[in-house]
Amino acid sequence: MIGIIGAMKVELEALKARLQDVTVTRISGVDFYSGKLHGTDVVAAVSGVGKVCSAVCAQTIVLKFGVKAIINTGVAGGLSPNLKLGEVAIASQVCQHDMDTSGVGDPKGLISGINKVFIDADPLWVAKAEKAAQKLGIHTETGVIASGDQFVCDTDRKAWIRDFFRAEAVEMEGAAIGQVCFVNEIPFVVIRSISDDASGHAPVSYESFFKEAAQRAVALTEEMLKEA
C-alpha cells in the first residue's frame, strides 16, 4: 500500500474522486481514504497545514496502514529561476529551514535527534516521479525542497533559503513527512507544483495559480502510480 498526503483538500480532491472500493477511517480528526487507484492499493489523507499536522498524519499512515512508501503531493513557492509557475519541483532531499539551534553551536537546519540537516528522498521514487513528468510533458527540477511553518512571501527570506540550503522550492510539510519516513525507514518522495514565486507578490500569484498547480501535482502522482 502507498500513502499519499496533501496538506489541503484541493491538493487531493481530484485524486480521491478516482479511488475505487473506498473505505474511510477517521483518526485524530483526519479522514484516511483507503482504496485502489489505477490498480494500486493506496491510502490518501489531507493532513492539514504545517509540519506538526503533516507529521501526525504520516506517522498514523505508517502505524495504522503499514504503507510501503509515502508520496507527499501539493504546491510550493518557487525558489529556482529554472522553475516557472505550474512546473514541478521533485525532492531529492528535504530540509527544515526554520529549524535553528545554532545558538548552542549547531548548524542551522540541524534536526535534533537524527543529527541531519538534509534527509534523502528515495531515489527509486524520485526516478518514478521524473519519468512520469517526462511522459506528461511537465518540466521538473530535482533538488532540495525546504519546509517551515511559515508562508514565505518575503524576498529576503526567499533568497536566504535558496542560497543557504540550495533549495528549489519552499513549502510547509514535506520535510516533516520526510523525517517521519526516515525514522520509520519508509521510502518517500515530495512532489510540488509551483503555485507562486515566494516573493513579495506571492499571495497574489498563489491565489491565481493554486488550483491549477495542485491539479498538475495530482496528475503527476497518478501517472507515477500507473507505473507502480
Side-chain angles (χ1 to χ4, degrees):
M1 179 174 277
I2 307 300
I4 305 171
I5 298 175
M8 294 171 282
K9 283 184 179 180
V10 69
E11 291 175 322
L12 283 186
E13 217 165 22
L15 187 145
K16 287 193 305 180
R18 294 183 180 91
L19 283 177
Q20 297 178 323
D21 303 323
V22 180
T23 301
V24 183
T25 307
R26 191 168 181 82
I27 303 170
S28 302
V30 176
D31 289 328
F32 295 85
Y33 296 81
S34 51
K36 287 189 178 293
L37 184 64
H38 303 296
T40 299
D41 290 324
V42 303
V43 55
V46 177
S47 66
V49 174
K51 293 192 299 178
V52 173
C53 288
S54 58
V56 169
C57 183
Q59 186 65 42
T60 302
I61 279 181
V62 170
L63 293 178
K64 177 67 177 179
F65 298 95
V67 296
K68 302 302 182 186
I70 291 180
I71 302 169
N72 175 220
T73 184
V75 301
L79 300 179
S80 169
N82 299 320
L83 281 172
K84 299 176 183 178
L85 295 175
E87 296 180 338
V88 173
I90 300 170
S92 58
Q93 295 180 309
V94 292
C95 67
Q96 298 181 34
H97 67 79
D98 60 346
M99 190 71 182
D100 187 355
T101 54
S102 59
V104 294
D106 294 334
K108 288 187 177 181
L110 185 77
I111 303 168
S112 299
I114 63 173
N115 295 320
K116 284 179 172 288
V117 174
F118 299 100
I119 299 173
D120 293 334
D122 183 75
L124 292 178
W125 281 95
V126 171
K128 287 177 188 288
E130 291 171 335
K131 182 179 178 182
Q134 187 175 23
K135 189 172 181 180
L136 294 172
I138 299 173
H139 174 72
T140 64
E141 292 288 330
T142 300
V144 176
I145 294 181
S147 305
D149 283 324
Q150 53 189 226
F151 184 92
V152 177
C153 55
D154 175 86
T155 52
D156 290 340
R157 183 67 180 174
K158 169 188 173 180
W160 181 81
I161 295 169
R162 181 191 64 222
D163 295 343
F164 191 87
F165 295 105
R166 304 295 183 206
E168 302 286 338
V170 61
E171 37 86 304
M172 299 179 68
E173 296 84 24
I177 293 169
Q179 183 175 345
V180 170
C181 289
F182 175 79
V183 298
N184 285 283
E185 299 181 342
I186 300 290
F188 78 95
V189 67
V190 179
I191 301 164
R192 294 289 181 147
S193 183
I194 303 304
S195 62
D196 63 82
D197 59 5
S199 70
H201 302 292
V204 177
S205 57
Y206 177 82
E207 289 295 333
S208 301
F209 292 97
F210 173 66
K211 288 185 179 180
E212 181 183 334
Q215 289 168 359
R216 183 73 58 91
V218 164
L220 202 158
T221 302
E222 283 196 72
E223 189 62 36
M224 288 172 64
L225 292 173
K226 287 178 184 178
E227 302 295 328

